[in-house]
Each structure stands twice: as structure tokens, then as C-alpha cells.
Amino acid sequence: MAKETSVVSDFVAFLNASPTAFHAVDESKRLLRDAGYEQVSEREDWNLEAGKKYFFTRNHSTIVAFAVGKKYVAGNGFHIVGAHTDSPCLKLKPVTKVSKGGYLQVGVQTYGGGLWHTWFDRDLTIAGRVMIREEKDASASYSHRLVRLEEPIMRIPTLAIHLDRGVNDGFTVNTQTHLLPVLATSIMAEMNKPAAENGPEDVSVVDKPKHHSLLLQMLATQIGCDPDEICDFELQACDTQPSVVAGALKEFLFSGRLDNLCMSFCSLKALIDATSSESSLDDETGVRMVALFDHEEIGSNSAQGAGSPVMFDALSRITSCFGSDSNLIQKAIQRSFLVSADMAHALHPNYMDKHEENHRPKMHGGLVIKHNANQRYATNAVTSFVFREIAQKYNLPIQDFVVRNDMPCGSTIGPILASGVGIRTVDVGAPQLSMHSIREMCAVDDVKHSYEHFKAYFQEFTYLDAKIAVDM
């Protein structure tokens, strides 16, 4: 029970520290460093050693961590859990300054397939990264800084029912005109301007102001720089309500971004704990790995998404550190295995007809193996057997999911990596409700089940895979 409590409390802390993909990667880096993992750079040569643990980041929104077995030789396999760091949200536009009807508003664009009606009447703030210019000895350097404004500073107000009597017959959101957060009123913003700003607004080297000076000043104050040192940013609106263990019996987690920070955290903690002791890697002949990608919610087609060469680059570079034969990477891929971990749809008591009758994942039921005959999920009989066999050995619950034939099926990074790299893949995920809402929910038990299952996978796969005969 103490271990379960620790996993859940650590996850809640991870959620509350990770309002954006950038923050999730930063928090992952902290956890890995604390566990003895060494950071390597894709821009530099790698000098890896068997028995050691490493990680690298790309764009500070994707992170790959790996532990090399002490008995590893080039050509041996990689045992991977893949997840993603991003979630549907409202991202700030390149020009955010909007003034209408006596209000200062912030221009945003939709990211991913969010349930946008859930963003109304929430206490919002802003977080992300900012590019900063730093002057020293008449020379300029540039760096990115993570930023998060803790206080609620914005809101997207709904229209009163008195002005829209038919709203309860169907609330339709125009994402261009209805989703603009209110930052302040024009008159209060003008009255609170510093004296030096009582002229035209100035933003860095741009003549026409792109952002409200009030917004830039808040960001600069939080970062500890001058507003004119802000060169650019990638920011998003965030809910300020913290993640909590909740429910009448404290059996649920209420939070944003469970999809997919739940799988990201559980896989990362499983890797850390499966490589924590001096002897953890003594008999390991492979490489244990976690890869957390950005941009899954919009198709993974970016330099740091699962559709990029990130995964293949990592496998190739690690293999080449231990052997010079260029053919070894192909052998390694065929000996490797990927668990594509992305949250699953729990049965909803108010919409039970949305699930196929014999495939209804439930809270507390453990990880869900996802199947789709049209390969929207990459699971097959061999890969599902591997994951099910590990569950049986460790007495862990397991479930199955198939979408109804009369409904479209979502997808994950699983098919992208399975087809792009050629690696055996199983698609799994913990069951949740309210997926893609600003506020989601899952079961506390399933966080623990996911962590235990991933940890068992890292510890057991090498031995189990040696007993499986396919393509012989």
C-alpha cells in the first residue's frame, strides 16, 4: 500500500509540475538525473558504456531515456515503452494582441482535438517557453526559458442563457470567435501602465505591437528579464486547478493532461525503478528505453514527433557505439519490442452504447490492450501475448478494447513506429473518462497497475522473448 501511495503521490506532483510538454520534459530530466542518468547531446559524439544509464532531449519537448544492460552487445534488442508529452490545448498565436469591446484579449489557436466547450469559465493562466536575448560584454546570446504564471490571469466567459435561449439544445463553439480569453479591461490596463509606457506600445524589434504590454510585462517579471529581451515564445493557456486524488472513496484522479502524462510518468518511473539497484542490469542483454514524444495529438509529423527519425536515430546511435557493422541495426530492430502506451476509453455509465459489448474497459481493471483489424493500433497476437503473459506472471489485471464497427477508431504512435521503424508493437493504455477535456479522470489503482506492468515488462522481456518462436 505504501508503494502504491508513493506512485500516485509522485504522479500528482509530476502533473502539477507539468502544465506543458516543455515542463513535462524538464520534470522528467530532473527525475532521471536524480536517479543517476547522464544527459547526452544529439549534437555530440556518444561514448556509451554497458551498465550505464543515459537520456537526451529534442526540442526540450521530446525525451528519450535508456539503460544499457551489462551483457549488452551490438545487435541485441531494445525494450521500449513509448508515450507522448503533449495534450490538446489552446496555444497562443504569433500575434496575440486582440482588443474588442473595451477588453484586452489573447489570441489563441486550437491544438489537437480538444473538447473545447470544457475550456469555458475556467480559471486560466499561461505557461510554455520564451526565447530570451542576453547581452554580455557587447555580445548577445539567446536561450529558451520555461515560464509559468501561477495565478489565474484569464478566462473564457460563456454567454448568459438570457442572451442565447437555445444554448441547452446544443452548445456550438466557434473556435475562432468564441475561444478568446479575456485578460483585462482596456481602461484598467491603461490606468495601470507604468509612466514610461504611456506612449505607443513597443515590442522588441517590431514596430507594430504583437502582444499586449501587460502580458509581456507579466512574463518578463516571472522570468526575471526586461520585456524587450523577449524575442519570441511558445505559450499555451493552462487550467490553474491542481491535480488531486478525489472521489468519495479517494479512488479517482481528477486532472488535466492525463492523456498522456499518466503513461509518460508511469513508464518513466518504471524504467527508473527497474534500473535503480546496483545489480538491476547485471543479467540484461538488451537496452531498456522510454521514449516520450511531442506532437502525437496532431499526427506526430514534426522533427520531434514519433513520425520523425528520433526513434531510429536513438537505436542506431546506441548500436553503433558498441559495434561498427552497419547491418547490426537491422538485427537489433527485429529483436526489439515497443509498448505504445496511450490512455484508453473507460466505459462511461451514461453512454454505455458507445462501447462494443464484449470490450468495455473499466476503472480498476488494469491496462487495456487495444486491438484494431485495420491497424489503427499495432497490436497482433504475438505482441498481445507478450504483454498478457507478463500480467499473468505478476498477477496484474489486463483488459481488451475494440472499437465498435460503426464508429471510427483513433490511433497512436504505435502504428507510426511499427511501420516506420519495423519494430514489434503492442498498443496499451490505462482506462480514463473525459479524454481531451480540460479536466479528465482515471482510477488511482490503474496508475499503480500501469507502473507495475511497465516495470515487470522491463525486468521480464529478455527472458520471455527468448522462448517465443516466430519467423523460424
Side-chain angles (χ1 to χ4, degrees), residues 255-276:
S255 174
R257 308 174 307 286
L258 292 177
D259 176 22
N260 193 34
L261 292 187
C262 183
M263 295 293 92
S264 294
F265 173 81
C266 290
S267 59
L268 191 71
K269 183 169 177 60
L271 177 66
I272 288 171
D273 289 356
T275 58
S276 60

Side-chain angles (χ1 to χ4, degrees), residues 97 99 104 183-203 209 211-218 227:
K97 184 178 180 181
S99 299
L104 305 189
L183 181 68
T185 58
S186 302
I187 188 168
M188 288 300 293
E190 192 66 30
M191 289 173 61
N192 283 272
K193 268 187 180 180
E197 291 187 20
N198 284 332
E201 288 187 320
D202 177 44
V203 180
H211 314 288
H212 292 298
S213 60
L214 173 62
L215 176 62
L216 290 176
Q217 185 59 60
M218 286 190 294

Side-chain angles (χ1 to χ4, degrees), residues 6 9 28 53 62 89 104 135 181 243 303 358 365 400 419:
S6 173
S9 60
S28 298
K53 303 177 290 188
T62 287
C89 64
L104 305 189
E135 299 279 356
S243 306
N358 294 321
D400 291 284
S419 60

Side-chain angles (χ1 to χ4, degrees), residues 105 119-122 155-159 178 180-182:
Q105 294 181 278
W119 285 74
F120 285 77
D121 296 332
R122 302 294 299 187
R155 203 163 185 267
I156 305 171
T158 49
L159 183 64
H178 295 164
L180 288 163
V182 172

Side-chain angles (χ1 to χ4, degrees), residues 353-368:
D353 60 332
K354 295 297 182 180
H355 274 74
E356 207 277 334
E357 185 176 358
N358 294 321
H359 302 88
R360 290 178 165 180
K362 295 183 179 179
M363 298 278 194
H364 310 297
L367 281 170
V368 180

Side-chain angles (χ1 to χ4, degrees), residues 19 92 119 122-127 148-154 236-240:
L92 272 61
W119 285 74
R122 302 294 299 187
D123 299 339
L124 303 177
T125 189
I126 286 173
R148 177 186 192 175
L149 303 179
E150 298 288 347
E151 296 296 319
I153 63 167
M154 305 188 303
Q236 65 189 61
C238 306
D239 192 7
T240 56

Side-chain angles (χ1 to χ4, degrees), residues 11-28:
F11 176 43
V12 171
F14 182 85
L15 283 167
N16 285 325
S18 306
T20 74
F22 303 118
H23 289 82
V25 166
D26 206 56
E27 187 67 7
S28 298

Side-chain angles (χ1 to χ4, degrees), residues 386-396 453 456 459-461 463-464 467:
V386 168
F387 215 64
R388 206 180 306 276
E389 190 72 7
I390 293 170
Q392 183 174 352
K393 180 172 180 178
Y394 283 78
N395 197 30
L396 292 166
H453 209 144
Q459 295 170 330
E460 293 294 326
F461 178 77
Y463 310 110
L464 178 58
K467 302 176 183 178

